[in-house]
Amino acid sequence: MKKLQVWLPLLFSIVLIVGMWIGSGLRKNIPFSRGLFESARPSTIQEVMDLIHLRYVDSVSADSLSDDAVMAMLGHLDPHSIYIPANRLAAVNEDLQGNFEGIGVEYFILGDTVYASNVLADGPSDKAGIKTGDRFLKVDDSVVTGKDINGDKIRKLLRGPSGSKVNITLLRDGKQVATTVTRGMIPLYSVDASYMLDSTTGYIHVNKFSGTTYEEFMAAMEELQKKGLKKLMLDLRDNGGGILGEAIDMADEFLDDDKLIVYTQGSHSKKTEYRCKRPGLFEKGELVVLIDENSASASEVLAGALQDWDRATIVGRRSFGKGLVQEQYELNNGSALRLTVARYYTPLGRNIQKPYSNGRAAYREELDHRFENGEMLHGDTATTHEGQQQYKTKKGKIVYGGGGITPDVFVPYDTTSLSRETFQLLSTPAFSRFIFTYFIQHRDYFKQFKSPLELAQGFNPENGAYASLVDYAAKNNINLQNIPARDKDELNKRIQTWMARQIWRMEGYYEVNNYFDNEVKKGKEILKQ
């Protein structure tokens, strides 16, 4: 009896554990059953998922069902609360980080051949001796020629962790060239153009707000100040936003004292104010900000703060109208949820989020309605759009909320209509492929131009380039022989701007394009007054 008393607790524990293990196994086959310590029924979504998993006639991907269910739920929220699947998350994060790991080369696929179309200066490929126009034959042991090659395949082969090596075989001037590239961190620039329009006026174009934007902006400003910067044109057109903190830091460089830049507030987020913290780099100089219908979110925060404090003249067309703040949450399956957690408000209290109560489709089509009602041409509806409210700055200027930043000076959308053939050429990769091909064929000719300004003044597309474009288009079943004169003028301008982009990347593109740009012309007029 004494021996039994000693072993009894151990035997009881073993029996209890075995019983719990058997019970747990049996419960897996019983839908909606609960464990001993579970106090609540599973959600309806989980019940349905369990039933499908246990009883559905065919096998179904649980991840696919979950993704669809989440996206259906988010469809009942605002248009900017989104689900990012695991296979897209890395690319989305790269854009916000402002860099990625790779070899630093842009490429074109022409026919069955991959060409190096641009090589990042001082990047891994440049250091390894790769040149614009080189043809890729092999990446490590993989042949990268033939009909099966595509952008995804070559991207996966070329990208990889910093410090890793990749062996590349190229074809240059009819000879094979072998090189080894050590991958590195490749910048995704958000300040893609910065130069002097004249002896005292600088120009900066910001395409997004990523983790490196403020640092890039400060470097650009310091370089422009060395060149005599007194006035600045800040171009936020086509800037869809990004990281709010980067826009706040940039605003701090233009506003003095402890001025309010923006505040955020939501049902589960207390009011948070963001104010100037330090002396700014450009608190006094004349400032023009360019915006358009694609300027959104963080772009509107920056433009709205500068407008509310009478610090800048806003030029262009009414901005997109996104006044919602998102936070990104990583999920267990490697995906992420970007959830709207607050609204942002300009210093005067403007929330510039446009209405979305009519659904996501209507929200997406709102820009089309601006064309239909004439706002893009006349601007007279920009102060009477749905949800608009009036506010007054300290200097007595009327500004508007409830649907985007309305500019102080309106510049209409360029509605020059293009013929079907011209539109067909410009809406496909054919035009950019022509630019690259023409550049490679006439590389020695273009070496004479040392700057975008020299190219704009000395390169006349009528001296051969336009005729070559007509022939190239014909080979792609596009007939440019009888297009209107305005189309020909437009194509000649684009040949110049895109050739500048081919040689000097986006910096060159903007330097040449700004010669023809109506908003830039208006901004220069204002800065001269």
Side-chain angles (χ1 to χ4, degrees), residues 487-503:
D487 282 35
K488 184 176 180 180
D489 290 342
E490 180 63 26
L491 288 176
N492 278 327
K493 283 191 287 188
R494 297 203 185 199
I495 290 173
Q496 285 183 300
T497 56
W498 280 72
M499 191 59 70
R501 181 187 184 278
Q502 172 63 49
I503 300 171

Side-chain angles (χ1 to χ4, degrees), residues 154-175:
I154 191 70
R155 188 181 302 110
K156 289 177 182 177
L157 290 170
L158 295 179
R159 289 195 179 188
S162 292
S164 63
K165 298 181 183 296
V166 57
N167 298 310
I168 298 176
T169 304
L170 306 159
L171 185 66
R172 180 188 303 156
D173 299 327
K175 299 179 182 178

Side-chain angles (χ1 to χ4, degrees), residues 22 47 54 104 121 378 474 515 521-522:
I22 294 173
E47 286 182 304
L54 295 170
H378 309 295
Y515 278 104
K521 291 177 182 177
K522 177 59 71 173

Side-chain angles (χ1 to χ4, degrees), residues 243-293:
I243 299 175
L244 181 63
E246 299 291 302
I248 291 170
D249 286 341
M250 193 181 295
D252 199 348
E253 298 302 321
F254 297 116
L255 299 171
D256 57 14
D257 300 326
D258 67 340
K259 285 186 169 64
L260 178 64
I261 297 170
V262 66
Y263 67 90
T264 63
Q265 192 168 10
S267 298
H268 303 286
S269 302
K270 65 179 182 179
K271 181 178 179 180
T272 304
E273 293 186 346
Y274 299 89
R275 294 181 173 273
C276 296
K277 298 178 181 178
R278 55 186 174 270
L281 202 61
F282 198 74
E283 293 181 353
K284 301 299 181 184
E286 295 295 325
L287 178 62
V288 160
V289 177
L290 306 183
I291 63 171
D292 65 6
E293 57 281 351

Side-chain angles (χ1 to χ4, degrees), residues 316-391:
R317 294 178 296 281
R318 178 162 63 97
S319 63
F320 183 87
K322 179 181 179 291
L324 302 174
V325 181
Q326 287 74 45
E327 287 185 0
Q328 186 165 304
Y329 301 91
E330 308 295 323
L331 304 179
N332 290 332
N333 66 351
S335 61
L337 178 65
R338 190 171 289 176
L339 188 67
T340 296
V341 297
R343 297 178 184 271
Y344 70 69
Y345 298 84
T346 70
L348 289 177
R350 293 188 284 165
N351 174 245
I352 56 172
Q353 175 63 45
K354 62 186 179 184
Y356 53 84
S357 56
N358 292 328
R360 295 195 175 201
Y363 187 81
R364 289 193 299 268
E365 294 166 1
E366 190 269 338
L367 294 184
D368 295 334
H369 294 323
R370 298 190 197 182
F371 279 99
E372 294 167 4
N373 66 23
E375 177 182 331
M376 293 292 204
L377 299 180
H378 309 295
D380 52 1
T381 60
T383 56
T384 58
H385 56 268
E386 182 183 355
Q388 75 94 68
Q389 295 172 286
Q390 289 190 4
Y391 299 78

Side-chain angles (χ1 to χ4, degrees), residues 56-71:
Y56 187 62
V57 62
D58 296 319
S59 61
V60 179
S61 169
D63 288 342
S64 177
L65 284 177
S66 298
D67 289 356
D68 290 345
V70 170
M71 286 189 278

